[in-house]
Amino acid sequence: MSAIPGAWRRTAAGAGLLSPDGVVAPTIFAEMSASAVRTGAINLGQGFPDEDGPDEVLEAARDAISRGMNQYPPGRGNPDLLAAISEHQRRFYGLDVDPETAVIVTAGATEALTATLLALIDSPDDEVVVFEPYYDSYAAAVALAGARLRTVPLRRPDFQPDLEVLAASVTDRTRIILVNDPHNPTGVVFSPEVQAEVLRLAEKHDAVIVTDEVYEHLTFAGAHVPLATLPGAAERTLTISSAGKTFSATGWKIGWVHGPADLITAVLTVKQYLTFANGSPFQPAIAVGLRLPDAFFADATAALVHKHELLGTGLQAAGFEILPPQGGYFTVADASPLGGSDAADFCRALPERAGVVAIPLSAFVSPEHQGDYAGLVRFAACKRIEVLEEAVARLAAASF
Ligand code: PMP
Ligand code: GLN
């Protein structure tokens, strides 16, 4: 198993990030995808779709290549994509985003997150509050930025945070509250009370809210509500998203961040020395995607709901207890009824035992909180129906 993200640290010499044993370890996603290739197991680990996105978007990228859009785009992003992001935020959320000053395109949400942290962290005493479990790049990026990570646990069954614990975690040292909603890996969509409390605490302690909304179009019980839409929130919120999930194009790495112009300028200052620019022909293609009719977005959600139902029913039939998601790519299941009370061990053995790859929730948890998530396993539902059917059939047939 690869290094646990929470254990990553900045070396005393500031030389870089090392895993605890001093070597660069692959991420859990890379390790598990390699295991799927090696064993021939079905990969329900790393969250990427196994089908292409909409034809119009693919065709627009081919067309952009043919039209010679193969050199550096502007550092802020292709103007048509900047305009399309602004239109999208108004159309779906009523948000007002100036395409010239308030938004930049990044190399996926990952670069947006890292550039934001590097831009906003001033001192080693700055703290970044995140909900735990958390996406693996968060702890690494906070360490790179030289800040301290403070975690607020999300506990089963509903994975909503305890508001008192949240309030106690945000202090005057908090520079950023980082909120991933819908949430990977738990699938939770945060309640209005949680969102309001995040804003209240950010205002009280003068913190910046950074959101990671890469699953914004994959919410199952009603429309996504960006934190930036709460009254007073936009002036202190950087909203991050990505085209990867919405358009099944995770390899294109087109993301964006929008917010107050002064904060965006700070993020752009860092971004221009990380990648300067990225994905020239993909940017106009994503502009086409963001302008697709409502039916595209609704159909994508409906298809994923169906896949989660199929996966959840199959996992239950195989003996798992499932914790149904409210959004995103993943279903979390408890493997304890199958003797998998150590999910890390369980997932390591699963490819050989059942021909399926999944990811233990422990990979998203700091070392000191591993016990709270011991039996929990994350399965990706963003695969073709026949792949999911085969995976759950294999799990049902395996002897645990
Ligand atoms: N945030 C979350 C919560 C994710 O699940 C992922 C991975 N899809 C990312 C960020 C990274 O997004 P991107 O591939 O656009 O960098
Ligand atoms: N976001 C994807 C997941 O959670 C992984 C992306 C990656 O491998 N960095 O599975």
Side-chain angles (χ1 to χ4, degrees), residues 88-113:
H88 172 275
Q89 296 303 88
R90 172 164 298 288
R91 167 179 160 199
F92 284 99
Y93 311 124
L95 282 169
D96 190 15
V97 177
D98 180 347
E100 283 174 18
T101 60
V103 55
I104 59 172
V105 176
T106 55
T110 308
E111 188 195 32
L113 281 158

Side-chain angles (χ1 to χ4, degrees), residues 80-135:
D80 190 39
L81 176 56
L82 296 173
I85 295 166
S86 171
E87 288 163 28
H88 172 275
Q89 296 303 88
R90 172 164 298 288
R91 167 179 160 199
F92 284 99
Y93 311 124
L95 282 169
D96 190 15
V97 177
D98 180 347
E100 283 174 18
T101 60
V103 55
I104 59 172
V105 176
T106 55
T110 308
E111 188 195 32
L113 281 158
T114 303
T116 297
L117 289 163
L118 290 171
L120 300 190
I121 297 302
D122 291 327
S123 104
D125 292 326
D126 283 349
E127 294 187 352
V128 179
V129 173
V130 301
F131 293 116
E132 183 176 52
Y134 48 79
Y135 182 56

